[in-house]
């Protein structure tokens, strides 16, 4: 499945498999949603037979996919910082609890 017309189908399937992260989702929901995204995108990527060429008129789809990936990366970075902050807070509480 490769050729100029197939790249549009692949990009459309990748976009469908990569919805934007839902604002306000908790860390667990975010990670579960991203795991689904990864699974669905892997299934799409498995269909590619190189070389896959993206035509100029398909570039906007690629840009949209890059923007969605960046949104996921930002959401995951925020979750990572949140988890790190919570762990540091917990460690501080434990340290204060040990002092006489």
């Amino acid at each position: 499945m490769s050729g100029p017309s197939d790249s549009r189908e692949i990009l459309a399937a990748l976009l469908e498999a990569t919805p934007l992260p839902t604002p306000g989702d908790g860390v667990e929901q975010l990670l579960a949603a991203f795991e689904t995204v990864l699974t669905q995108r892997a299934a799409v990527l498995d269909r590619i037979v190189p070389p896959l060429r993206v035509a100029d008129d398909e570039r906007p789809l690629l840009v949209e996919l890059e923007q969605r990936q960046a949104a996921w990366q930002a959401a995951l970075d925020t979750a990572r910082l949140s988890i790190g902050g919570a762990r540091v807070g917990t460690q501080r509480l434990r340290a204060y609890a040990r002092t006489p």
Side-chain angles (χ1 to χ4, degrees):
M1 163 192 263
S2 71
S5 61
D6 296 330
S7 60
R8 179 175 297 281
E9 180 184 332
I10 293 294
L11 288 171
L14 285 171
L15 282 169
E16 185 178 329
T18 313
L20 288 169
T22 305
D25 269 358
V27 172
E28 293 84 14
Q29 295 92 347
L30 181 73
L31 293 176
F34 190 64
E35 187 172 322
T36 300
V37 167
L38 290 177
T39 301
Q40 291 177 350
R41 289 189 336 186
V44 173
L45 294 175
D46 284 344
R47 297 177 6 210
I48 296 175
V49 177
L52 184 68
R53 293 182 180 85
V54 177
D56 287 341
D57 66 334
E58 297 165 344
R59 296 279 174 202
L61 296 173
L62 192 56
V63 168
E64 176 65 22
L65 186 59
E66 290 171 346
Q67 290 171 345
R68 290 183 188 194
Q69 179 62 31
W72 274 103
Q73 189 63 52
L76 292 168
D77 285 346
T78 299
R80 181 181 53 81
L81 292 172
S82 173
I83 291 168
R87 291 184 75 192
V88 167
T90 301
Q91 290 172 349
R92 286 184 181 159
L93 285 174
R94 286 182 183 146
Y96 290 131
R98 288 185 215 151
T99 57

